[in-house]
Amino acid sequence: QEQLVESGGGLVKPGGSLRLSCAVSGFTFSNFYMSWIRQTPGKGLEWISYVSSSGSPVFYADSVKGRFTISRDNAKNSVYLQMDNLSPDDTAIYYCARDRGDVIFDLWGQGTLVTVSS
Amino acid sequence: EIVLTQSPGTLSLSPGERVTLSCRASQSVPSSSLAWYQQTPGQAPRLLMFGAAIRATGIPDRFSGSGSGTDFTLSISRLEPEDFAVYYCQQYGSSPITFGQGTRLEVK
């Protein structure tokens, strides 16, 4: 069945880096835009980045622009989020999500927890 | 940025009741580009509606959406036990994409 599985979360110190991965199965990955969305108890759901089906263009929320990099490998059916210069405000559950078109998210992974703390 | 305000924050209801959730936008949402998601504890959000009133694949017809401009609603005609969850609206008509803060439906 259609599935997204995130990995790579964990505990990191402020200023550190993490790379999240999202493995896709059950559908033709190369046909879809993909996004990363994060969720915190305080700020709720926040869209942070998307990548087109081919890998370019990409877009970022202002809160992560210049620090996070989204990419994809259609041969590996995977999308990635490189997160640099992390701050405690980046602590969240990070979801990858499939964009059915027009930035509507019709399939989500189970999420991976990122905790930024000293 | 379009700010979405959902009300009420929490609703306590019983199975079988009808409910209407509200999502109000700080400015008009272009082309009724509004979606609704349901999230149960420990799970990822699930797409319910898009285009304000179009049910996503597999969503039962007890769910309905309506609205345009700045005022949108999600209605559930007869609450089933599995409907007790948190509901979020999202606008995708204007950059940046934004979500509401959610309405929690709890069992009375």
Side-chain angles (χ1 to χ4, degrees):
Chain A
Q1 77 277 22
E2 300 177 330
Q3 195 172 9
L4 308 176
V5 179
E6 302 94 336
S7 60
L11 175 63
V12 62
K13 288 182 168 49
S17 297
L18 273 180
R19 188 190 194 216
L20 305 184
S21 299
C22 173
V24 166
S25 59
F27 63 93
T28 306
F29 176 64
S30 59
N31 287 350
F32 291 90
Y33 281 42
M34 298 294 294
S35 278
W36 287 94
I37 298 160
R38 65 186 180 186
Q39 184 172 32
T40 63
K43 294 180 71 175
L45 290 164
E46 180 187 15
W47 168 82
I48 55 174
S49 182
Y50 80 68
V51 58
S52 72
S53 53
S54 66
S56 179
V58 298
F59 288 94
Y60 301 95
D62 287 345
S63 58
V64 306
K65 200 175 295 182
R67 300 187 300 121
F68 289 12
T69 304
I70 192 171
S71 62
R72 66 189 293 160
D73 185 337
N74 285 346
K76 294 184 176 180
N77 284 350
S78 293
V79 59
Y80 308 99
L81 187 68
Q82 176 67 39
M83 305 187 295
D84 298 319
N85 193 20
L86 285 160
S87 78
D89 285 346
D90 297 315
T91 295
I93 297 172
Y94 284 74
Y95 296 100
C96 67
R98 185 177 73 181
D99 181 350
R100 69 174 300 282
D102 291 336
V103 214
I104 304 164
F105 308 113
D106 69 342
L107 184 66
W108 298 59
Q110 85 288 353
T112 187
L113 177 62
V114 172
T115 303
V116 184
S117 174
S118 54
Chain B
E1 170 175 321
I2 295 179
V3 176
L4 300 177
T5 301
Q6 293 186 241
S7 61
T10 302
L11 270 172
S12 297
L13 294 162
S14 300
E17 290 194 84
R18 177 183 176 86
V19 63
T20 298
L21 311 182
S22 172
C23 176
R24 179 161 289 176
S26 60
Q27 54 191 281
S28 183
V29 176
S31 304
S32 295
S33 299
L34 190 106
W36 290 91
Y37 298 85
Q38 176 195 64
Q39 186 176 33
T40 52
Q43 301 297 314
R46 175 175 74 140
L47 178 67
L48 295 176
M49 315 285 301
F50 60 93
I54 303 169
R55 276 188 298 277
T57 302
I59 302 304
D61 60 7
R62 65 178 182 274
F63 290 90
S64 62
S66 65
S68 63
T70 61
D71 290 300
F72 299 86
T73 60
L74 173 72
S75 296
I76 310 172
S77 60
R78 188 176 172 83
L79 282 167
E80 298 287 341
E82 61 267 28
D83 299 335
F84 291 90
V86 181
Y87 292 82
Y88 296 94
C89 56
Q90 174 224 340
Q91 69 80 23
Y92 51 92
S94 173
S95 182
I97 303 144
T98 51
F99 292 86
Q101 84 283 9
T103 291
R104 179 180 304 275
L105 276 187
E106 62 179 27
V107 180
K108 192 173 185 179

